[in-house]
Each structure stands twice: as structure tokens, then as C-alpha cells.
Amino acid sequence: MSFVVTLADAADAGTVGGKAASLGELARTGVSVPPGFAVTTEAFTAAMEVIDADGALRAGIEGLPAGDVAEIARVAGRFRGIVAGAPLPSEVAAAIEAGYAALGGTPNVGDVGDVAGVAGVAGVAGVAVRSSATVEDSADASFAGLQDTYLGVSGAASVLEHVRRCLASMYNDESVAYRRRLGLPEAGVAMAVVVQRMVAPRAAGVMFTRSPVTGDRSVVAIEGTWGLGSALVSGDVTPDSWVISKITSEITGRRVSPKVKVHRYLPKGSAASPAPSPGSPAGQHALEGSPGGARVIVADTPADLREAPCLSDDEIRALAAVGHQVEAHYGAAQDIEWALLDGEAEPGARIVLLQSRPETVWAARDAKPAGAPKARAADHVLSLFGKPL
């Protein structure tokens, strides 16, 4: 029984979850991915055999009415607290501790996509702990944002705690409600967890390989901000945005927004400013991390950067090229999380991908027929305009 696998070996979504399987596949295609490991669904199963041996708690989740928000919150909250508070089985905890030690104990981890030598990849003390459910990141369902991610976690005890929190986030209210709306059986879902080295990017954000607004397949849409992409996800900033033609690489649209806050990762022992340029901005406060260790802070963006684009045109085109490469690999439009490291290397060498999943909104619309078939061709065409003969 394997409770931990490196991202180099993360392939089966049923074993490592959708996020880890995608990261492993990206790394094997030659895309830079921060090194790490996956805590497998076998670890989740082992934990559930202790917490919910007879399956009664999960049966209670499956029996919840999809529209009863209050009852979902009550039942899911109780289950979540039990999972987060229960110690992991000793053999699972030992495997996670060994994986964390291996990730930090060797400067040049022999994992595909290892970017440890690139400026901007944080030292071994800090990791991101990210949920990776078996039903997420598929073409049929999107659980983006419904389960937990923790940044700047350091120390084995803290890693174990945050792994438990990620396992518990399988029972976040929104995640349970979504599964109930889809009618997914609880026996068919499980949680894996990704543990990856933290990156300290100059800028980060999201990228769609078709327009999220119009569905146009001929463009790549990019959104970004200074520092960590968590500023964008949390709504602390309105991101810069660009539209790039896949055909000509021309930047056909751009919007630079005032970015008043920045999320910045500080490795353990670091006293550096969280701002993307020299200076000590006011209004700093800790967002996440381990006491006395690595942490993520929120700070005011320096005045000279607030209305400056977080990416150069060369960096924008390099990101679009990577997005096009990933889309070609999967054969479908992608929703991608990216980070751009600092340094003097060419832009393409400083791009790190943190996730790629199928775009689902426009894909779902494409799958629907334009209209119900009619007996006569003319009626079928005219019915689309609401004027049948």
C-alpha cells in the first residue's frame, strides 16, 4: 500500500486526485512544475477506516437534500471537524514525514519539473499543501475553489496538520452541496493531497486558452498580479488582463488595473520586504503559514507598481505560448494557474505552472445542441431565431 508518491509518478487520478495527476502529466511533458509529492487516496481510505469505519457518516452526507443549505452546513461541518481533528494513522503520518524530509533534505530533488535551481523557488522549509480530489479537474465537473489550499507551511507537524485539513475539506459545505447537485455517490469520491515546494514569484495569475467571455478559440486570455496569485483568487486585487492571438501572437487587448495589495511569500527566517521592489510598504499582515516559519503576508503594493503592468510584452507572449502548448497536449481548452519567477533568464525559462484543468463553461455549451431538431430543415433553422414557419 502506497501512501505517498512523487509527482514524477503521479498519473492515476483515482490514486492521486485530479490536481496531482495533472501536475504529474505537465511535468512529464517538460513544463516546469514545482517539485513535490502526493498523499494518495489510500491514505484517505486508511484515515476513513478509523474515522468512519461503518460508513455511516458518509452515508449521512449522501442522503442530504441538494437544496437544504442549512442541513448541509450542519452535517458537513460536524464531519469536517471530526476529520480535521483526528490524528492520521501512524503509517500514513510516517510516509508523509518521509516525503517532506526527502523534499527538503536534498537540494536537487530528482523529480521531473524540478525548478529548485531557478531564482524564485523557495527553500525547503516552505511548502504548499493543496487538496486533490478524485472528482476534480475533469471535463464534466469543476471543483475549483471548493476545497482547501494552504501556502507557506513549514515543519513536519504543520504539514501533517494541513494535510488533515485538506482531507477534511472534502466535506466543505460548498463541495458537499455541489456533489449533491450532481448526484455523485460518496463511495466514488476520495481526497488526495499535493505537497509542493513553495515558489516566490514576481507575478502570478490565471490563463484561459479560449476567451472566457466570448468562447473564442483563437485567443489566449491572461490575468495576473504582483506576487502570489492568491491575491487574485481572494479578490484583494483587480488583475491586469491581456488577450493574445494564437495565430499572430499579437496582443490584441490589454487592461492594466490599480493593484493596491500584494500577497508575498517569505521563506523561514527571511526578513526581506514582501514588495516586488525595494522598500518597506505599510500595512503588512500575515495571511498564512507556520508560527516561526515560512509565511505568506499581505502588504500594500508600492506606489510605483500599483498601476504598472505586472508582465512585459515578452513575458505575456511566452505565457501564451506555454498555454497553447498545454492545450495542444490535452487536445482541449485549458484553465491554467501560472507563476513567473524573477531573474535574468528568458521569460519562458521562468514560467512555472501550478495547475491545468479543462475549461468547462464553454465546453458545456459546445456540447449542447443549438436547437431541437424539426421535421423540416427550414423550421429547424428558423426556430433558432424564434420564428418557425
Side-chain angles (χ1 to χ4, degrees):
M1 187 174 289
S2 179
F3 296 126
V4 165
V5 299
T6 66
L7 288 183
D9 299 317
D12 174 30
T15 300
V16 297
K19 184 182 283 97
S22 174
L23 287 168
E25 185 166 353
L26 286 172
R28 288 188 291 275
T29 68
V31 175
S32 289
V33 171
F37 62 90
V39 181
T40 68
T41 56
E42 291 182 350
F44 177 81
T45 299
M48 287 299 107
E49 286 175 352
V50 176
I51 294 167
D52 186 28
D54 61 0
L57 293 173
R58 280 167 287 182
I61 293 288
E62 189 167 333
L64 289 168
D68 193 338
V69 176
E71 184 65 3
I72 287 174
R74 185 187 71 81
V75 175
R78 176 174 174 269
F79 197 177
R80 196 165 57 244
I82 292 172
V83 177
L88 292 168
S90 58
E91 62 273 23
V92 172
I96 295 170
E97 289 173 343
Y100 178 65
L103 186 60
T106 306
N108 297 309
V109 178
D111 198 358
V112 289
D114 185 2
V115 290
V118 181
V121 174
V124 56
V127 294
V129 183
R130 314 170 67 195
S131 61
S132 181
T134 55
V135 290
E136 72 180 49
D137 293 356
S138 71
D140 301 318
S142 176
F143 283 78
L146 300 186
Q147 284 127 191
D148 290 0
T149 287
Y150 299 95
L151 306 178
V153 178
S154 60
S158 187
V159 169
L160 291 174
E161 175 192 347
H162 287 86
V163 167
R164 293 199 310 271
R165 291 187 187 183
C166 281
L167 296 181
S169 73
M170 170 65 75
Y171 303 103
N172 283 352
D173 298 355
E174 298 84 354
S175 182
V176 170
Y178 187 51
R179 294 202 299 277
R180 298 284 47 82
R181 287 198 300 272
L182 294 179
L184 296 175
E186 289 299 303
V189 298
M191 180 68 81
V193 181
V194 174
V195 179
Q196 284 181 288
R197 281 190 186 172
M198 278 293 295
V199 294
R202 196 195 75 209
V206 296
M207 170 167 52
F208 303 90
T209 63
R210 70 186 295 181
S211 170
V213 177
T214 67
D216 186 354
R217 294 175 178 272
S218 70
V219 300
V220 174
I222 297 173
E223 294 183 344
T225 189
W226 296 113
L228 295 168
S230 54
L232 189 160
V233 174
S234 68
D236 278 356
V237 298
T238 300
D240 297 338
S241 62
W242 300 270
V243 178
I244 306 94
S245 168
K246 293 178 184 175
I247 301 168
T248 65
S249 297
E250 178 186 1
I251 301 171
T252 59
R254 66 175 75 226
R255 183 193 68 199
V256 177
S257 301
K259 300 169 289 296
V260 297
K261 295 292 182 181
V262 60
H263 290 195
R264 202 70 176 165
Y265 170 67
L266 295 182
K268 183 177 181 180
S270 171
S273 164
S277 69
S280 299
Q284 298 179 8
H285 67 275
L287 182 68
E288 295 181 55
S290 305
R295 63 197 186 280
V296 174
I297 68 165
V298 179
D300 294 336
T301 305
D304 62 327
L305 293 176
R306 289 181 185 177
E307 298 191 33
C310 64
L311 297 174
S312 70
D313 284 5
D314 285 346
E315 290 165 346
I316 293 163
R317 292 190 179 94
L319 270 170
V322 171
H324 198 185
Q325 172 191 346
V326 172
E327 179 186 61
H329 172 75
Y330 284 110
Q334 297 291 298
D335 171 357
I336 297 168
E337 295 178 17
W338 57 269
L340 181 78
L341 308 180
D342 213 348
E344 300 300 322
E346 292 296 316
R350 293 185 282 115
I351 293 170
V352 177
L353 296 193
L354 307 176
Q355 190 165 347
S356 185
R357 51 185 168 246
E359 185 280 333
T360 56
V361 175
W362 286 98
R365 295 184 187 182
D366 290 346
K368 294 179 180 177
K374 304 294 182 182
R376 295 190 302 168
D379 283 347
H380 180 74
V381 173
L382 292 172
S383 71
L384 302 181
F385 300 93
K387 296 179 180 179
L389 292 174

